[in-house]
Amino acid sequence: MKVERKLQAKIILGYIVILIVGISMAILLLHEHKRIQQIETETEDVRRVRLNINTAHHRIATLAMLGESIIGWNEADYRHYHFLRLRTDSLLQVMKPHCREYVRPTQIDTLRNLLSEKEAHLLHLTEILARQDEADSLLVNHLPE
């Protein structure tokens, strides 16, 4: 009887150990699954930030190229530039909280202010060029032949 009880105790102990190992494995699997989901979420966030940064670079380069052609601008060109600048400004504003690890928010604000000031200067230059064209046309039309 003592041998049977010892054997039963060993069997029960074996089952308990197997149960503990099984529960531990299940807990580890759940923990690892949760960690994989966190890594995937972080990866998606990094991809989104990278895409936004690339989009911002593209838009800023586009604005720079459009600004180079100011001599031939008309009102529609200025409105197009203004629309693109506002889209870029909105994108930079949206990116600000997500890019704190890469860029200080004050740097993004500085860039936004510079783009706004550049637009104001381009508008001023457009107005000056339009007035110059008006003055030139007045001179050409009113000069005696």
Side-chain angles (χ1 to χ4, degrees), residues 47-103:
R47 282 187 188 134
R48 192 177 326 105
V49 167
R50 191 182 73 219
L51 177 66
N52 285 341
I53 289 171
N54 288 341
T55 302
H57 283 156
H58 180 266
R59 287 182 183 174
I60 290 168
T62 301
L63 288 173
M65 286 187 292
L66 287 174
E68 293 293 322
S69 65
I70 188 172
I71 290 178
W73 275 16
N74 57 27
E75 183 65 28
D77 293 325
Y78 172 74
R79 282 195 307 268
H80 178 67
Y81 184 91
H82 179 71
F83 173 75
L84 289 176
R85 205 264 313 158
L86 288 179
R87 283 182 54 199
T88 304
D89 189 72
S90 296
L91 177 62
L92 291 171
Q93 184 67 23
V94 168
M95 287 174 49
K96 193 164 40 169
H98 303 290
C99 292
R100 290 187 188 278
E101 297 175 18
Y102 314 108
V103 178

Side-chain angles (χ1 to χ4, degrees), residues 23-55:
I23 291 172
S24 298
M25 287 175 56
I27 290 172
L28 280 172
L29 285 173
L30 290 174
H31 176 71
E32 290 301 315
H33 180 70
K34 183 179 175 183
R35 182 66 186 132
I36 287 172
Q37 286 179 337
Q38 288 174 341
I39 290 171
E40 287 174 352
T41 302
E42 291 171 2
T43 302
E44 185 59 35
D45 289 344
V46 168
R47 282 187 188 134
R48 192 177 326 105
V49 167
R50 191 182 73 219
L51 177 66
N52 285 341
I53 289 171
N54 288 341
T55 302

